Amino acid sequence: MLSIISHNECRDHDAGPLHPESKARLDAINNQLIMSGMDYVVRHHDAPLVTREQLERVHDSDYLDRVYALAPGQGMESVEVDGDTVMSPGTLRAAERSAGSGCMGVDLVMSKEANPIFCMVRPPGHHAESDKAMGFCLFNNIAVAAAHALEAHGLSRVAIIDFDVHHGNGTEEIFKAEPRVLFCSSFQHPFYPFTGHEKETDNLVDIPLSAGAGSAEFREAVSGHWIPHLRDFKPEFVFISAGFDAHVADDMSSVQLTDADYEWVTRELKSIADEFAEGRIVSMLEGGYEPDVLARSVVKHLDVLLG
């Protein structure tokens, strides 16, 4: 049964009134789930707080110390971690819930209590490197979840697929030398964070997309590059960094994907999971900054996962 992991504290992260990464994103998804009727056929779970042990599998201890020392207490002013990343009094708890959601998702899937899982959380995570916050991200949520599958459950091959419009630089930095992880990423290039280039190695498959690229370019790249590597790798678990900011109606980028593209790529990834990974999927919300478009795209994504 499809399960959604989230927590009300994920709404308490406040990056400022003009910041695109706002609680309105979660509110829009919740509303669309209710309007579509999907809310009544999924199971909801509250995200737990991530543990220090879980974070230290992918983040440096000194970096974590800095984050916790920097976090403002209740009633204090927000602080800038970098030009894009802000910590308000509610941010640390939201980030702990976001990172904890993926570990809970893995545990639920591995125990066969639920599958697949969608982590409807914020702040996002895929830009956070082992020792650096950036791009709205403090903890690399998807990396924490993947490492949990490897270390707590003894898996030997997990795949992370990232279709956010921004390169998942943090996930790539964390796992670039880890043969147990295959990382596949598509992204607009050149574009923030100005990392990533076309590459295909044993465990990294980067697909840069030009500004203006649409369905044909995206689907050709996925079919011609991601899918063969995924089939050769035979993952035991599929993780999805589900960013929806490559949508044509999202002003964050110049890539022109549609609702149908997210439906299609989800179906392709579900097919891989069904064939090689006993259907095991944890999908983690990343970007998507036009709330109505984000909500519609997420429901398309979940509809395929629900089957």
Side-chain angles (χ1 to χ4, degrees):
M1 182 180 201
L2 173 65
S3 290
I4 293 176
I5 302 176
S6 190
H7 200 282
N8 283 337
E9 287 186 331
C10 290
R11 301 176 74 257
D12 295 338
H13 166 51
D14 183 2
L18 301 179
H19 202 285
E21 206 293 279
S22 72
K23 66 181 180 180
R25 302 172 68 231
L26 299 189
D27 294 340
I29 296 171
N30 274 321
N31 290 339
Q32 189 69 26
L33 287 170
I34 293 170
M35 290 173 59
S36 68
M38 186 174 291
D39 190 61
Y40 303 103
V41 294
V42 300
R43 185 175 299 163
H44 292 271
H45 301 268
D46 279 340
L49 297 171
V50 72
T51 68
R52 180 78 180 215
E53 177 186 7
Q54 290 164 347
L55 289 175
E56 286 189 349
R57 291 174 180 144
V58 302
H59 289 296
D60 292 351
S61 181
D62 288 346
Y63 166 67
L64 295 175
D65 289 343
R66 292 197 302 272
V67 169
Y68 277 83
L70 191 62
Q74 292 302 316
M76 297 176 64
E77 292 186 359
S78 297
V79 297
E80 280 196 0
V81 182
D82 67 14
D84 299 306
T85 311
V86 176
M87 291 187 76
S88 70
T91 297
L92 182 60
R93 290 280 285 196
E96 290 178 318
R97 297 288 184 189
S98 295
S101 71
C103 295
M104 180 186 200
V106 169
D107 291 342
L108 288 172
V109 171
M110 293 303 297
S111 67
K112 302 186 186 302
E113 293 180 55
N115 187 50
I117 302 287
F118 181 64
C119 298
M120 191 177 73
V121 293
R122 57 182 291 271
H126 72 151
H127 291 310
E129 298 185 354
S130 58
D131 62 354
K132 181 166 61 177
M134 62 184 292
F136 313 165
C137 306
L138 283 178
F139 303 141
N140 195 308
N141 306 320
I142 203 77
V144 170
H148 186 67
L150 294 171
E151 304 306 330
H153 292 279
L155 298 185
S156 56
R157 295 182 312 280
V158 304
I160 303 174
I161 298 91
D162 186 334
F163 51 72
D164 190 280
V165 81
H166 304 94
H167 179 234
N169 61 291
T171 311
E172 184 163 307
E173 182 265 339
I174 289 167
F175 290 126
K176 63 186 178 183
E178 175 51 83
R180 296 177 296 173
V181 177
L182 172 64
F183 179 58
C184 300
S185 178
S186 63
F187 49 93
Q188 182 175 324
H189 182 76
F191 198 47
Y192 184 88
F194 304 102
T195 57
H197 57 276
E198 186 171 355
K199 69 170 73 75
E200 293 187 49
T201 69
D202 287 344
N203 77 316
L204 298 175
V205 185
D206 279 355
I207 302 173
L209 301 171
S210 300
S215 300
E217 294 90 341
F218 175 69
R219 295 188 186 204
E220 180 180 354
V222 169
S223 298
H225 299 275
W226 285 0
I227 300 304
H229 279 271
L230 286 164
R231 295 187 66 82
D232 288 344
F233 188 70
K234 297 178 175 60
E236 299 168 307
F237 207 119
V238 172
F239 293 91
I240 304 174
S241 270
F244 299 93
D245 41 3
H247 197 286
V248 64
D250 193 314
D251 291 338
M252 182 62 75
S253 76
S254 299
V255 176
Q256 301 183 33
L257 302 188
T258 66
D259 297 18
D261 293 314
Y262 292 119
E263 190 174 18
W264 173 82
V265 73
T266 306
R267 189 173 295 112
E268 294 293 305
L269 299 180
K270 187 174 187 300
S271 178
I272 291 291
D274 288 343
E275 183 174 358
F276 298 108
E278 300 180 27
R280 297 169 180 151
I281 293 177
V282 166
S283 178
M284 180 81 64
L285 180 64
E286 299 284 2
Y289 302 102
E290 183 62 40
D292 291 342
V293 174
L294 168 65
R296 198 174 70 228
S297 299
V298 166
V299 168
K300 291 286 188 183
H301 179 61
L302 297 185
D303 191 50
V304 175
L305 294 183
L306 183 63

